[in-house]
């Protein structure tokens, strides 16, 4: 199999030449099957590939996909996912006009495991421990001391219809899942499209991400835990439709950390008629802080998080929800949560505790509103459309 794939790379290089700006629309696409553990550096030229099984990129190995490629799996073959093991690198060279798409043949949310990346950057997991075991079905250790861990570079990548359980994993996977990934990794212009769990989830680590779109994912648009502290995040756009829980679910595994992530330019929208993922789980707020979650957020647009009625009971949506008393005391009152320049519309409450016993009062300057807030600034192109429909609503 490896010889076959390397042959494809050589053939593809003959077709595409040396220039990175060659037009793939006039290049015959390569084809092939990607399976097993990849143990040698491999480049997949522009093409249409089939991914079969839980494909792993071994430590010390770099796997590269050229722009315009499509990688398709099929749930009828069993569990499928692309896993970057700690020490491995995934490089995806998509462009705004020719993104790289990872998808599943049935186009049903929850049909495969998406892209999962492991690193050895620091984490702070439950109990304050510096290492933990992944919940993705691979049951691999994550966490370390290498803050600058480099898992590669993802440019203009779309992951579709992910969210499947792998093996005996304890929960669904996400479109993109990052376990203790470090700041040397580049995450730029990514789309999580119609998955059955979160669009993006960070389990600790120091990686940052720019220009993210989360569209139509059943759980949260964005989620993190285990002390994630990415410091240079910007342009995050979440659009929830049909099913969806929180726009952002923010927690720190019950650790009162001295640090927090920073994100600027955020848009969170919830389409009319969107329901929670599971009946009885009333998760309808734009941003929920719990279990000592914190962060610094600026230029935030929130729209559509209004009331939801279930079994004749009406629940009121909130822009900023503080879920528990410890988070209110340790994070809000201690100025570890800052949400500034916020513009809200079609949302019932601006700021609220989960119960009447949680009285939320931000210190001066830590929560501010602005009618001129713009939210995410997404430059549109082929990468922001699916089947001709724009993802920016």
């Amino acid at each position: 199999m490896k010889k076959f794939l390397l042959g494809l790379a050589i053939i593809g290089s003959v077709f595409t030449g040396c220039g990175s700006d060659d037009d793939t629309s006039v290049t015959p696409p390569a084809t092939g099957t990607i399976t097993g553990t990849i143990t040698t550096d491999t480049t997949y030229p522009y093409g249409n590939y089939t991914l079969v099984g839980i494909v792993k990129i071994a430590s010390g190995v770099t796997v590269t996909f050229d722009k315009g490629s499509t990688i398709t799996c099929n749930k009828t073959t069993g569990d499928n996912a692309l896993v970057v093991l700690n020490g491995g690198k995934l490089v995806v060279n998509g462009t705004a006009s020719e993104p790289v798409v990872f998808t599943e043949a049935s186009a049903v949310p929850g049909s495969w495991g998406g892209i999962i990346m492991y690193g050895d950057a620091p984490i702070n997991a439950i109990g304050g421990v510096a290492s933990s075991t992944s919940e993705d079905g691979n049951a691999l250790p994550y966490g370390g001391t290498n803050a600058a861990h480099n898992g590669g570079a993802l440019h203009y990548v779309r992951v579709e219809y992910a969210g499947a359980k792998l093996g005996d994993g304890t929960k669904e996977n996400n479109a993109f899942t990052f376990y203790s990934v470090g700041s040397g990794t580049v995450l730029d212009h990514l789309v999580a499209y119609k998955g059955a769990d979160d669009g993006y989830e960070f389990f600790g680590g120091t990686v940052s991400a720019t220009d993210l779109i989360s569209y139509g994912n059943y759980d949260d648009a964005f989620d993190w835990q285990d002390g994630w502290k990415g410091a240079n995040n910007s342009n995050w756009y979440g659009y929830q439709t049909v099913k969806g829980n929180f726009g952002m679910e923010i927690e720190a595994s019950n650790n009162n950390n001295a640090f927090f992530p920073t994100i600027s330019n955020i848009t969170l929208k919830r389409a009319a008629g969107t329901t929670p993922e599971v009946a009885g789980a009333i998760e309808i707020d734009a941003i929920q802080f719990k279990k000592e979650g914190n962060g610094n957020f600026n230029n935030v647009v929130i729209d559509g998080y209004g009331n939801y009625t279930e079994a004749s009971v009406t629940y009121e949506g909130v822009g900023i929800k503080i879920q528990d008393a410890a988070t209110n005391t340790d994070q809000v009152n201690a100025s570890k949560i800052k949400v500034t320049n916020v513009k809200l519309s079609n949302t019932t409450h601006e700021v609220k505790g989960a119960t009447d016993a949680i009285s939320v009062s931000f210190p001066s300057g830590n929560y501010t509103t602005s009618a001129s807030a713009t939210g995410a600034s997404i430059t549109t192109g082929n990468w922001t459309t699916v089947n001709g429909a724009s993802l920016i609503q």
Side-chain angles (χ1 to χ4, degrees):
M1 179 58 65
K2 294 297 187 301
K3 290 181 180 178
F4 172 66
L5 293 175
L6 289 173
L8 284 175
I10 294 170
I11 293 169
S13 67
V14 172
F15 281 124
T16 59
C18 299
S20 61
D21 294 328
D22 290 341
D23 184 359
T24 58
S25 64
V26 298
T27 303
T31 60
T33 298
I34 305 170
T35 191
T37 298
I38 303 173
T39 57
T40 58
D41 290 355
T42 305
T43 294
Y44 295 96
Y46 161 65
N48 299 316
Y49 299 96
T50 300
L51 184 147
V52 178
I54 301 177
V55 175
K56 297 180 179 179
I57 301 173
S59 179
V61 173
T62 298
V63 170
T64 303
F65 287 94
D66 284 349
K67 64 182 180 178
S69 296
T70 299
I71 300 90
T72 305
C73 60
N74 193 318
K75 65 181 179 181
T76 61
T77 65
D79 289 342
N80 302 285
L82 178 58
V83 180
V84 186
L85 298 175
N86 180 28
K89 291 183 180 180
L90 174 62
V91 176
V92 183
N93 294 319
T95 66
S97 60
E98 297 180 276
V100 173
V101 179
F102 292 82
T103 190
E104 195 278 332
S106 71
V108 174
S111 293
W112 71 298
I115 293 177
I116 304 169
M117 182 179 290
Y118 286 86
D120 55 356
I123 70 169
N124 197 15
I126 295 173
V129 300
S131 64
S132 190
T133 301
S134 67
E135 59 181 38
D136 57 353
N138 291 301
L140 292 173
Y142 66 99
T145 59
N146 180 19
H149 157 264
N150 181 350
L154 308 186
H155 295 284
Y156 294 96
V157 183
R158 183 166 77 244
V159 172
E160 302 178 338
Y161 314 119
K165 288 186 178 181
L166 301 179
D168 60 354
T170 57
K171 71 183 293 293
E172 292 90 356
N173 290 284
N174 313 288
F176 295 89
T177 307
F178 302 107
Y179 285 102
S180 58
V181 173
S183 61
T185 308
V186 176
L187 306 177
D188 179 59
H189 290 88
L190 310 182
V191 175
Y193 181 78
K194 291 190 177 181
D197 205 86
D198 303 322
Y200 305 83
E201 186 160 10
F202 300 86
F203 291 84
T206 56
V207 68
S208 296
T210 54
D211 294 273
L212 304 186
I213 297 174
S214 180
Y215 185 99
N217 294 290
Y218 284 1
D219 194 354
D220 311 311
F222 306 97
D223 191 353
W224 64 84
Q225 57 185 289
D226 292 348
W228 174 62
K229 52 181 176 181
N232 297 295
N233 304 279
S234 64
N235 286 331
W236 286 20
Y237 182 95
Y239 184 75
Q240 297 180 283
T241 181
V242 184
K243 292 183 182 181
N245 293 332
F246 300 112
M248 301 175 78
E249 185 177 32
I250 299 167
E251 63 168 284
S253 306
N254 285 319
N255 296 305
N256 183 9
N257 297 315
F259 56 82
F260 42 76
T262 300
I263 310 171
S264 61
N265 309 331
I266 303 165
T267 295
L268 301 173
K269 290 187 175 183
R270 189 177 184 89
T274 301
T275 66
E277 178 185 15
V278 178
I282 310 304
E283 301 178 339
I284 58 172
D285 307 312
I287 305 177
Q288 184 214 46
F289 293 92
K290 67 179 181 180
K291 298 181 180 179
E292 304 284 8
N294 58 22
N296 188 342
F297 312 88
N298 183 54
N299 187 22
V300 182
V301 169
I302 293 171
D303 178 70
Y305 292 83
N307 292 352
Y308 168 72
T309 300
E310 182 179 295
S312 74
V313 178
T314 297
Y315 301 89
E316 298 179 339
V318 182
I320 312 296
K321 170 73 72 65
I322 307 301
Q323 190 65 27
D324 56 81
T327 300
N328 193 38
T329 299
D330 297 336
Q331 308 304 321
V332 175
N333 296 344
S335 296
K336 294 181 181 179
I337 296 177
K338 299 179 182 180
V339 189
T340 53
N341 296 311
V342 181
K343 182 168 68 175
L344 297 100
S345 57
N346 304 306
T347 298
T348 307
H349 297 281
E350 286 190 27
V351 177
K352 200 173 187 297
T355 67
D356 291 340
I358 302 172
S359 179
V360 182
S361 180
F362 279 91
S364 178
N366 287 355
Y367 174 79
T368 64
T369 60
S370 172
S372 61
T374 57
S377 178
I378 302 293
T379 300
T380 59
N382 288 345
W383 81 281
T384 63
T385 64
V386 177
N387 298 324
S390 176
L391 304 179
I392 307 302
Q393 304 296 316

